């Protein structure tokens, strides 16, 4: 029974090692921030609980990087190798979930799609970009633990350990990145639909695990009251501290921001179909074709199934709905914000495989094989095409004995990380709302 998970993980390690080696010394701004934080931790200078200037994201990747920096020279490759276990745990958890729900064959389908996933998946699960490797890892663990609880009879309260682990995985995931919150909410709602209202014997261990997982987030906000709320509100409403300070009144600021926020909510739904091609690693026509084929297989499977779609469909359905609602409320409209679906899409493929006839499976095999081949080609091509000019810039500045420069966010932090902070760069021209 362990063969599918083991085989998938071995293949995933090989693909990602090739990818990381091809990236070489390339690093971009967000990843460089994580790397500099790792340098500070490794040197014993700082021990941050949340990301600098983004006090709603955890720092697990920085601590993993710091641990490896104590053994190896700091480099982009070392930072990514330290992050690699998070992606592998996520792949293993998704594969294990598919095997638990449908068996070994569907598990291999889900795992294969993750091994050679779209370029965005490989990047978000392999680069040390704050919060996204953790989102994939802990979303997958949350769904896996939820699936384990759905396999027990509804009359069985389950062991306290399972509920504690579910709460801890979801809580630490939320601390790492808020995108795990809707996944946990979807899992809990599916469990409620399956088991009925949760009892005290289930709620107390769940709450204890959730508080333990959220502990770093809570401690930071006790030490710095309101830090996370202010930063998150700034991102959602597109307002900085400078805007707040310059406003004549809170009412004037609210009347200015409110209509803009509501207008963006109205416009948000169009961003989802626009982001699906990037999410899946195909063009718009390919995304439409995949959607039509998947809908056809799902319809046939539904017509051949019992009147109730069952626990797996409820689990995936509620996680999907809650994620979309969450993204809508917070106006998270970039392709990377759909990253929780990298847990749900392969499970959906596994479910379709399990419910399909032999003829549909042959069609799926051909389609998925072509899809995966294209993914590998694009991923390796993108890795080879990244701009590696930052190393030359570091060498040039050091040769001229320049130790401080003024530039933008996307150059400043890579310069500082690659130079080991021998060059200090002002990032005042950074992203919006970073004061």
């Amino acid at each position: 029974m362990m063969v599918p998970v083991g085989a998938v993980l071995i293949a995933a390690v090989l693909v990602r090692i090739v990818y990381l080696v091809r990236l070489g010394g390339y690093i971009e701004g967000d990843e460089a921030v994580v790397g500099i934080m790792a340098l500070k931790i490794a040197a014993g200078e700082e021990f941050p609980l949340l990301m600098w200037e983004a006090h709603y994201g955890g720092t697990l990747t920085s601590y993993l990087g710091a641990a490896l920096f104590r053994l190896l020279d700091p480099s982009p490759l070392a930072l990514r190798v330290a992050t690699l276990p998070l992606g592998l745990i996520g792949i293993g958890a998704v594969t294990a979930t598919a095997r638990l729900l449908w068996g070994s064959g569907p598990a291999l389908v889900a795992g294969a799609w993750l091994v050679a996933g779209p370029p965005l998946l490989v990047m978000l699960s392999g680069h040390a970009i704050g919060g996204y490797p953790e989102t994939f890892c802990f979303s997958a663990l949350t769904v896996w633990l939820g699936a384990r609880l759905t396999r027990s009879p509804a009359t069985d309260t389950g062991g306290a350990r399972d509920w504690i682990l579910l709460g801890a995985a979801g809580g630490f995931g939320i601390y790492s990145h808020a995108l795990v919150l809707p996944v946990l909410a979807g899992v809990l709602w599916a469990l409620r639909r399956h088991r009925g209202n949760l009892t005290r014997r289930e709620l107390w261990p769940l709450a204890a695990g959730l508080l333990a997982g959220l502990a770093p987030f809570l401690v930071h906000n006790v030490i710095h009251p309101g830090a996370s709320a202010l930063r998150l509100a700034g991102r959602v409403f597109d307002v900085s501290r400078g805007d707040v300070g310059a406003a004549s009144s809170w009412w004037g600021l609210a009347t200015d921001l409110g209509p803009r926020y509501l207008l963006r909510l109205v416009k948000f739904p169009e961003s989802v179909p626009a982001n699906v091609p990037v999410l899946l690693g195909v063009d718009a026509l390919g995304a439409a074709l995949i959607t039509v084929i998947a809908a056809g297989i799902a319809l046939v499977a539904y017509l051949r199934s019992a009147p109730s779609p069952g626990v797996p469909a409820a689990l995936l359905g509620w996680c999907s709905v809650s994620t979309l609602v969450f993204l809508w409320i917070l106006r998270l409209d970039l392709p990377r914000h759909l990253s929780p679906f990298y847990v749900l899409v392969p499970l959906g493929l596994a479910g379709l495989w399990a419910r399909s006839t032999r003829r549909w499976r042959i069609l799926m095999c051909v389609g998925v094989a072509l899809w995966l081949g294209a993914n590998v080609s694009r991923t390796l091509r993108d890795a080879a095409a990244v701009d590696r000019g930052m190393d030359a810039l570091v060498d040039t500045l050091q040769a001229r004995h320049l130790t401080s420069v003024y530039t933008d966010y996307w150059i400043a932090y890579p310069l500082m990380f690659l130079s080991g902070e021998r060059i200090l760069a002002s990032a005042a021209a950074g992203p919006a709302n970073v004061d």
Side-chain angles (χ1 to χ4, degrees):
M1 292 297 290
M2 293 301 293
V3 173
V5 178
V8 164
L9 289 179
I10 291 172
V13 169
L14 295 175
V15 170
R16 277 152 180 77
I17 287 177
V18 173
Y19 172 71
L20 296 183
V21 170
R22 287 177 70 90
L23 280 175
Y26 165 78
I27 192 167
E28 55 94 38
D30 287 342
E31 197 173 12
V33 172
V34 175
I36 296 172
M37 293 176 70
L39 291 175
K40 297 292 188 183
I41 296 168
E45 297 177 8
E46 293 187 33
F47 299 97
L49 292 175
L50 291 175
M51 288 287 295
W52 291 339
E53 302 301 333
H55 302 148
Y56 43 80
T59 53
L60 176 59
T61 49
S62 292
Y63 281 92
L64 293 175
L68 199 56
F69 288 173
R70 297 296 297 269
L71 302 174
L72 303 173
D73 290 336
S75 69
L77 179 59
L79 181 63
R80 293 174 188 130
V81 168
T83 306
L84 185 59
L86 295 176
L88 297 178
I89 290 171
I91 292 172
V94 173
T95 308
T97 302
R99 188 185 62 196
L100 177 69
L101 295 176
W102 297 290
S104 295
L108 282 174
V109 173
W113 191 84
L114 290 170
V115 167
L120 183 62
L121 166 62
V122 177
M123 186 193 77
L124 292 180
S125 63
H127 289 218
I129 299 175
Y132 286 99
E134 296 97 316
T135 296
F136 177 62
C137 175
F138 290 102
S139 293
L141 287 174
T142 299
V143 172
W144 174 61
L145 290 165
R148 282 168 52 91
L149 286 166
T150 64
R151 306 311 286 177
S152 60
T155 55
D156 180 11
T157 59
R161 183 188 65 178
D162 291 337
W163 291 99
I164 290 174
L165 290 175
L166 175 61
F172 195 84
I174 295 168
Y175 151 69
S176 299
H177 201 297
L179 286 173
V180 180
L181 174 60
V183 176
L184 176 63
V187 168
L188 292 178
W189 189 257
L191 283 172
R192 180 184 177 278
R193 294 295 298 269
H194 170 62
R195 307 172 68 90
N197 291 328
L198 301 184
T199 66
R200 291 183 180 180
R201 292 181 60 186
E202 296 164 335
L203 287 173
W204 282 111
L206 176 69
L210 186 64
L211 287 174
L214 284 171
F217 179 86
L218 299 175
V219 169
H220 180 89
N221 279 277
V222 168
I223 299 173
H224 307 282
S228 297
L230 289 173
R231 285 299 182 187
L232 186 58
R235 294 290 186 184
V236 174
F237 295 104
D238 194 20
V239 60
S240 68
R241 291 180 180 178
D243 296 331
V244 174
S248 58
S249 67
W250 281 102
W251 174 250
L253 185 64
T255 55
D256 178 47
L257 295 177
R260 284 193 289 162
Y261 172 75
L262 293 175
L263 179 62
R264 288 169 182 153
L265 286 184
V266 172
K267 292 182 176 180
F268 174 83
E270 68 184 25
S271 71
V272 176
N275 289 332
V276 167
V278 179
L279 181 81
L280 299 180
V282 296
D283 57 21
L285 179 60
L289 184 61
I290 290 171
T291 302
V292 170
I293 293 174
I297 297 174
L299 178 61
V300 172
Y302 177 78
L303 294 176
R304 296 176 62 248
S305 65
S308 172
V311 170
L315 191 66
L316 299 184
W318 284 113
C319 286
S320 299
V321 169
S322 60
T323 298
L324 290 174
V325 171
F326 182 81
L327 296 178
W328 178 61
I329 293 173
L330 268 65
R331 287 194 310 106
L332 301 175
D333 56 1
L334 297 177
R336 67 174 182 267
H337 296 146
L338 292 170
S339 59
F341 284 96
Y342 283 133
V343 173
L344 305 176
V345 167
L347 290 176
L349 286 174
L352 290 177
W353 179 273
R355 301 298 302 176
S356 299
T357 62
R358 185 173 180 272
R359 183 177 301 175
W360 280 108
R361 288 182 179 180
I362 293 174
L363 178 62
M364 285 183 66
C365 275
V366 174
V368 170
L370 293 173
W371 191 1
L372 300 187
N375 285 341
V376 172
S377 175
R378 280 191 295 267
T379 298
L380 297 181
R381 182 191 63 202
D382 291 350
V386 296
D387 183 5
R388 293 180 173 83
M390 198 64 66
D391 286 329
L393 179 57
V394 171
D395 293 339
T396 300
L397 292 173
Q398 290 181 332
R400 297 181 180 183
H401 305 290
L402 295 174
T403 58
S404 60
V405 297
Y406 180 85
T407 182
D408 68 12
Y409 176 92
W410 302 106
I411 297 176
Y413 288 112
L415 271 180
M416 288 189 283
F417 176 71
L418 293 173
S419 68
E421 293 191 286
R422 290 185 293 273
I423 298 174
L424 299 180
S426 170
N433 305 326
V434 176
D435 296 326

